[in-house]
Coordinates of all heavy atoms in Angstrom, one line a residue:
P1 N 9.3 -23.4 -32.4 CA 9.4 -24.6 -31.5 C 9.2 -24.4 -30.0 O 10.1 -24.8 -29.2 CB 10.8 -25.1 -31.9 CG 11.6 -23.8 -32.1 CD 10.6 -22.9 -32.8
L2 N 8.2 -23.6 -29.7 CA 8.1 -23.1 -28.3 C 6.7 -23.6 -27.6 O 6.3 -23.0 -26.7 CB 8.2 -21.6 -28.3 CG 9.6 -21.1 -28.7 CD1 9.6 -19.6 -29.0 CD2 10.6 -21.4 -27.6
G3 N 6.1 -24.6 -28.2 CA 4.8 -25.0 -27.7 C 4.8 -25.6 -26.3 O 3.8 -25.6 -25.6
L4 N 6.0 -26.0 -25.9 CA 6.1 -26.6 -24.5 C 6.8 -25.6 -23.5 O 7.0 -26.0 -22.4 CB 6.9 -27.9 -24.5 CG 6.3 -29.0 -25.4 CD1 7.1 -30.3 -25.3 CD2 4.9 -29.3 -24.9
A5 N 7.0 -24.4 -24.0 CA 7.7 -23.4 -23.1 C 6.6 -22.7 -22.2 O 6.3 -21.5 -22.4 CB 8.4 -22.4 -23.9
H6 N 6.0 -23.5 -21.4 CA 4.8 -23.0 -20.6 C 5.1 -23.0 -19.1 O 4.2 -22.7 -18.3 CB 3.5 -23.8 -20.9 CG 3.7 -25.2 -20.9 ND1 3.9 -25.9 -19.7 CD2 3.6 -26.2 -21.9 CE1 4.0 -27.2 -20.0 NE2 3.8 -27.4 -21.3
S7 N 6.3 -23.4 -18.7 CA 6.5 -23.5 -17.2 C 7.3 -22.3 -16.7 O 7.4 -22.1 -15.5 CB 7.3 -24.8 -16.9 OG 8.5 -24.8 -17.5
N8 N 7.9 -21.5 -17.5 CA 8.6 -20.3 -17.1 C 7.6 -19.1 -16.9 O 6.5 -19.2 -17.3 CB 9.7 -19.9 -18.1 CG 9.2 -19.4 -19.4 OD1 8.2 -19.9 -19.9 ND2 9.8 -18.4 -20.0
R9 N 8.1 -18.1 -16.3 CA 7.3 -16.9 -16.1 C 8.2 -15.7 -16.2 O 9.3 -15.6 -15.7 CB 6.7 -16.8 -14.7 CG 5.6 -17.8 -14.5 CD 4.4 -17.5 -15.3 NE 3.3 -18.5 -15.1 CZ 3.1 -19.6 -15.7 NH1 4.1 -20.0 -16.7 NH2 2.1 -20.4 -15.5
R10 N 7.7 -14.7 -17.0 CA 8.5 -13.5 -17.3 C 7.6 -12.3 -17.1 O 6.4 -12.3 -17.5 CB 9.1 -13.5 -18.7 CG 10.1 -14.6 -18.9 CD 10.9 -14.4 -20.1 NE 11.9 -13.4 -20.0 CZ 13.1 -13.5 -19.5 NH1 13.5 -14.7 -19.0 NH2 14.0 -12.5 -19.4
S11 N 8.1 -11.2 -16.5 CA 7.4 -9.9 -16.4 C 7.7 -9.0 -17.6 O 8.9 -9.0 -18.0 CB 7.8 -9.2 -15.1 OG 7.5 -9.9 -14.0
F12 N 6.7 -8.4 -18.1 CA 6.9 -7.4 -19.1 C 6.1 -6.1 -18.7 O 5.3 -6.2 -17.8 CB 6.3 -7.9 -20.5 CG 6.9 -9.1 -21.0 CD1 6.3 -10.4 -20.6 CD2 8.1 -9.1 -21.7 CE1 6.9 -11.6 -21.1 CE2 8.6 -10.3 -22.2 CZ 8.0 -11.5 -21.9
V13 N 6.3 -5.0 -19.4 CA 5.5 -3.8 -19.1 C 5.2 -3.2 -20.4 O 6.0 -2.9 -21.2 CB 6.2 -2.8 -18.1 CG1 7.5 -2.2 -18.7 CG2 5.3 -1.7 -17.7
G14 N 3.9 -2.9 -20.6 CA 3.4 -2.2 -21.7 C 3.8 -0.7 -21.6 O 3.9 -0.2 -20.6
L15 N 4.0 -0.1 -22.8 CA 4.4 1.2 -22.9 C 3.5 2.2 -22.1 O 3.9 3.0 -21.3 CB 4.5 1.7 -24.3 CG 4.9 3.1 -24.6 CD1 6.3 3.4 -24.1 CD2 4.8 3.4 -26.1
D16 N 2.2 2.0 -22.3 CA 1.2 2.9 -21.6 C 1.3 2.7 -20.1 O 1.1 3.7 -19.3 CB -0.2 2.6 -22.1 CG -0.3 3.1 -23.6 OD1 0.1 4.2 -23.9 OD2 -0.9 2.3 -24.4
N17 N 1.5 1.5 -19.6 CA 1.6 1.3 -18.2 C 2.9 1.9 -17.6 O 2.9 2.6 -16.5 CB 1.6 -0.2 -17.8 CG 0.3 -0.8 -18.0 OD1 -0.7 -0.1 -17.9 ND2 0.2 -2.1 -18.2
L18 N 4.0 1.8 -18.3 CA 5.2 2.5 -17.8 C 5.1 4.0 -17.8 O 5.4 4.7 -16.9 CB 6.4 2.1 -18.7 CG 7.8 2.8 -18.4 CD1 8.2 2.5 -16.9 CD2 8.8 2.3 -19.4
V19 N 4.5 4.6 -18.9 CA 4.3 6.0 -18.9 C 3.4 6.5 -17.8 O 3.6 7.5 -17.2 CB 3.7 6.4 -20.3 CG1 3.2 7.8 -20.3 CG2 4.8 6.3 -21.4
D20 N 2.3 5.7 -17.5 CA 1.4 6.1 -16.5 C 2.1 6.1 -15.1 O 1.9 7.0 -14.3 CB 0.3 5.1 -16.4 CG -0.9 5.5 -15.5 OD1 -1.7 6.4 -15.9 OD2 -0.9 5.0 -14.3
L21 N 3.0 5.1 -14.9 CA 3.8 5.1 -13.6 C 4.7 6.3 -13.6 O 4.8 6.9 -12.5 CB 4.5 3.8 -13.5 CG 5.4 3.8 -12.2 CD1 4.5 3.7 -10.9 CD2 6.3 2.6 -12.2
L22 N 5.4 6.6 -14.7 CA 6.3 7.7 -14.6 C 5.6 9.0 -14.3 O 6.1 9.9 -13.6 CB 7.1 7.8 -16.0 CG 8.0 6.7 -16.3 CD1 8.6 6.8 -17.7 CD2 9.1 6.6 -15.2
C23 N 4.4 9.2 -14.9 CA 3.6 10.4 -14.6 C 3.2 10.4 -13.1 O 3.3 11.5 -12.5 CB 2.4 10.4 -15.5 SG 2.7 10.8 -17.2
T24 N 2.9 9.3 -12.6 CA 2.6 9.2 -11.1 C 3.8 9.6 -10.3 O 3.7 10.4 -9.3 CB 2.1 7.8 -10.8 OG1 0.9 7.5 -11.5 CG2 1.8 7.7 -9.3
C25 N 5.0 9.1 -10.7 CA 6.2 9.4 -10.0 C 6.6 10.8 -10.0 O 7.4 11.3 -9.1 CB 7.3 8.5 -10.5 SG 7.2 6.7 -10.1
L26 N 6.2 11.5 -11.0 CA 6.5 13.0 -11.1 C 5.9 13.8 -10.0 O 6.5 14.8 -9.6 CB 6.1 13.5 -12.5 CG 7.1 13.3 -13.6 CD1 6.4 13.6 -15.0 CD2 8.4 14.0 -13.4
E27 N 4.7 13.4 -9.5 CA 4.0 14.2 -8.6 C 3.6 13.6 -7.3 O 3.3 14.3 -6.3 CB 2.7 14.7 -9.3 CG 3.0 15.6 -10.6 CD 1.7 16.3 -11.0 OE1 0.8 15.6 -11.5 OE2 1.7 17.5 -10.9
H28 N 3.6 12.3 -7.2 CA 3.1 11.7 -6.0 C 4.1 12.0 -4.8 O 5.3 11.7 -4.9 CB 3.0 10.2 -6.2 CG 2.1 9.5 -5.2 ND1 2.3 9.5 -3.8 CD2 0.9 8.9 -5.3 CE1 1.4 8.8 -3.2 NE2 0.5 8.4 -4.1
P29 N 3.6 12.5 -3.7 CA 4.5 12.8 -2.6 C 5.2 11.6 -2.0 O 6.4 11.7 -1.6 CB 3.5 13.4 -1.5 CG 2.3 13.8 -2.3 CD 2.2 12.9 -3.4
A30 N 4.6 10.4 -2.1 CA 5.2 9.2 -1.5 C 6.3 8.6 -2.4 O 7.0 7.7 -2.0 CB 4.2 8.2 -1.2
A31 N 6.4 9.1 -3.6 CA 7.4 8.6 -4.6 C 8.8 9.0 -4.3 O 9.8 8.3 -4.7 CB 7.1 9.0 -6.0
A32 N 9.0 10.1 -3.5 CA 10.3 10.7 -3.3 C 11.2 9.7 -2.6 O 10.8 9.1 -1.6 CB 10.2 12.0 -2.5
N33 N 12.4 9.5 -3.1 CA 13.5 8.7 -2.5 C 13.1 7.2 -2.4 O 13.4 6.6 -1.4 CB 13.9 9.3 -1.1 CG 14.3 10.7 -1.2 OD1 15.1 11.1 -2.1 ND2 13.7 11.6 -0.4
Q34 N 12.3 6.8 -3.4 CA 11.9 5.4 -3.5 C 12.5 4.7 -4.7 O 12.8 5.4 -5.7 CB 10.4 5.3 -3.5 CG 9.7 5.8 -2.2 CD 9.9 4.8 -1.1 OE1 10.1 3.6 -1.3 NE2 9.7 5.2 0.2
T35 N 12.5 3.4 -4.7 CA 12.9 2.6 -5.9 C 11.7 1.7 -6.2 O 11.1 1.0 -5.3 CB 14.1 1.7 -5.6 OG1 15.2 2.5 -5.3 CG2 14.4 0.8 -6.8
F36 N 11.2 1.7 -7.4 CA 10.0 1.0 -7.8 C 10.3 0.0 -8.9 O 10.9 0.4 -10.0 CB 9.0 2.0 -8.3 CG 8.5 3.0 -7.2 CD1 8.6 4.3 -7.4 CD2 7.9 2.5 -6.1 CE1 8.2 5.2 -6.5 CE2 7.4 3.4 -5.1 CZ 7.6 4.7 -5.3
M37 N 9.8 -1.2 -8.8 CA 9.7 -2.2 -9.8 C 8.4 -1.9 -10.6 O 7.4 -1.4 -10.0 CB 9.7 -3.6 -9.3 CG 10.8 -3.9 -8.3 SD 12.5 -3.6 -8.8 CE 12.8 -4.9 -9.9
V38 N 8.4 -2.2 -11.9 CA 7.2 -2.0 -12.6 C 7.0 -3.1 -13.6 O 7.9 -3.6 -14.2 CB 7.2 -0.6 -13.4 CG1 8.4 -0.5 -14.3 CG2 5.9 -0.3 -14.1
S39 N 5.7 -3.5 -13.8 CA 5.4 -4.5 -14.8 C 3.9 -4.4 -15.1 O 3.2 -3.5 -14.5 CB 5.7 -5.9 -14.3 OG 4.8 -6.4 -13.4

């Protein structure tokens, strides 16, 4: 019963996208002491 649930918006993150960001955070110099949102 969700055919009219089209006005909201939600962020999700695919597993491969999260893993890619974590690999980036392991080595990127600018990642140190930062907080990152991901989606």
Side-chain angles (χ1 to χ4, degrees):
L2 297 164
L4 298 181
H6 49 67
S7 61
N8 69 323
R9 291 292 181 273
R10 298 191 73 83
S11 295
F12 303 93
V13 64
L15 179 61
D16 292 314
N17 285 336
L18 177 58
V19 165
D20 191 79
L21 179 67
L22 293 177
C23 289
T24 300
C25 288
L26 278 170
E27 296 195 293
H28 200 297
N33 306 309
Q34 294 284 339
T35 298
F36 296 120
M37 313 303 286
V38 59
S39 78

